[in-house]
Amino acid sequence: MAPRELNKSGGTIPDVTPEPALSTLPAASAAVASALPRRIAHLDMDAFFASVELLRYPQLKGLPVVIGGGRRTVDEALLAAHGERALRFIPVAEFPLLKDYVGRGVITTATYAARQFGVGSAMGMMKAARLCPQAIVLPVDFDEIRRFSRLFKSTIAEVAPRVQDRGIDEVYIDFTDVPGGQREGGRSLARLIQRAIFEKTGLTCSIGVAPNKLLAKMASEFSKPNGISIVYEADLQTLIWPLNVRKINGIGPKAGEKLARLGVQTIGELAALERQFLMANFGKASGAWMHEVAWGRDDSPLALESEPVSMSRETTFERDLHAVRDKAELGAIFTRLCEQVAADLQRKGYVARTIGIKLRYDDFRVATRDQTVQAHTADAQAIRKIAGQCLKRVPLDQRLRLLGVRASALVRAGEAPVHEQNKPSAQAGHAPAATESIASYPLFESW
DNA sequence: TCTGGGGTCCTAGGACCC
DNA sequence: TCTGGGGTCCTAGGACCC
């Protein structure tokens, strides 16, 4: 459950931090609310990854195209098959060594033509090949994607400066005080932004404008692609309540499933439930949050800037690996992940105090181990060493599917305390004890 | 056809301190 | 001596999102 943006305190006890006397507040305090009604837009790019590829290969327009991979092997295989990326477009079903290369790949985006066949994001490549064998496969070009992402976001910021980043292809925009932002409920400014983005990038997007982020997010899905939807508070019953609860940002598969078991399908049905009943079934914080969002209420502000909390690298192997039999291969991958995390930290200018690992076993169970040390670091060898300690505390008698390395408790490099000695933190809640299984794998020391 | 990678936030329990 | 708080830090797992 994720009541994150609405109910951070998570309890019923109000925050009793004393407020400064009114007279001590600066006259132009940022806290002074606008006199105008809040108009918040949610914008997301239409089939972003696929659309960027279509710009490069206009001859694919109208054809089903899937952008696949995310895994390096898939990308490399695709690039090899494509030669100069575009010598020949290969349908997914004809893809060379499909099983070996893309058996574990998933689709990042599909063009609307491919979606007609039921192909969609996060779907396995093999399934896509069955649903739409003629679909063209292209690898993800992350550099190009990032370039377009920066471009569309900077285009928006020129028009409306208060923007919250929501990932590579999405933003919230505060229309409230932008000149013209209130006209037609925000429609004319939305049109202007759509045009500006199209002129700069050649890409289309869909925009929803509403009194808050929650409703704006839902509104942006109403008319896709290249659509604009305007929602007012008064539209709650007609436009929002008929939707499935899964349309609420923060209600995922688990909560959706549980609500279904309680006989709740639509947001209207959710709104009809007593707050107390929801709190009893989903916990105090989540239950209260659900009740609020079902009634369209969300006063969370836009997060205009944010600091990263963690940086991680993980990889799914081409085949499941065994800790002992595939020790050399695993060790090399482990080292590479640590180097990548270190490089990411250094490139972005952060140091970390907590290093963690993540394993996915062949049965898809996940184990994580963390270790916090006293000195912040962005050094590959230091990270490798701490991550190695974590590895010793996790069972390794089962085949592994995925390995990951994570750095958290970040501070900007240069802002870390100077006199730090790198020893395990004395505060470790659970004493890092080696599990029994590691004892039977002494070779692990050399991972 | 078994299901990627990079994130954020929340919960719950134990250690430790006052 | 015993009991019981509150608060913070740390860890592990999990839900959810793009």
Side-chain angles (χ1 to χ4, degrees), chain A residues 320-322 325-326 360-362 397-401:
Chain A
D320 295 341
L321 298 179
H322 191 276
R325 288 193 286 285
D326 304 303
R360 173 133 59 208
Y361 297 103
D362 54 6
D397 27 32
Q398 204 178 331
R399 280 179 182 282
L400 301 176
R401 179 187 178 87

Side-chain angles (χ1 to χ4, degrees), chain A residues 59-104:
Chain A
Q59 62 268 50
L60 294 179
K61 207 160 190 159
L63 296 177
V65 177
V66 295
I67 308 299
R71 297 182 58 238
R72 235 160 51 107
T73 48
V74 176
D75 290 353
E76 284 164 359
L78 283 162
L79 281 169
H82 283 289
E84 297 293 311
R85 277 189 65 90
L87 293 181
R88 184 186 161 220
F89 298 111
I90 302 183
V92 62
E94 283 176 34
F95 194 74
L97 303 171
L98 185 73
K99 275 196 167 53
D100 292 343
Y101 283 124
V102 302
R104 290 182 148 176

Side-chain angles (χ1 to χ4, degrees), chain A residues 172-191:
Chain A
Y172 288 109
I173 315 164
D174 193 344
F175 276 17
T176 310
D177 292 315
V178 177
Q182 300 280 341
R183 203 175 304 147
E184 299 172 71
R187 186 180 296 276
S188 68
L189 183 56
R191 266 198 301 262

Side-chain angles (χ1 to χ4, degrees), chain A residues 20 82 92 141 186 219 234 269 293 326 340 345 354 407 422 424:
Chain A
H82 283 289
V92 62
D141 183 343
E269 288 162 0
V293 298
D326 304 303
Q340 286 174 332
L345 286 166
T354 302
N422 235 339

Side-chain angles (χ1 to χ4, degrees), chain A residues 314-371:
Chain A
E314 63 184 53
T315 187
T316 296
F317 315 132
E318 286 161 57
R319 56 181 181 91
D320 295 341
L321 298 179
H322 191 276
V324 173
R325 288 193 286 285
D326 304 303
K327 182 172 77 80
E329 204 175 338
L330 276 167
I333 292 168
F334 188 44
T335 299
R336 180 165 53 79
L337 290 169
C338 292
E339 287 166 354
Q340 286 174 332
V341 169
D344 292 343
L345 286 166
Q346 289 165 25
R347 181 162 35 81
K348 295 174 182 165
Y350 288 88
V351 286
R353 204 164 79 89
T354 302
I355 302 299
I357 59 160
K358 170 178 168 182
L359 307 181
R360 173 133 59 208
Y361 297 103
D362 54 6
D363 62 1
F364 258 75
R365 282 181 313 114
V366 172
T368 63
R369 292 294 180 273
D370 273 357
Q371 183 152 341

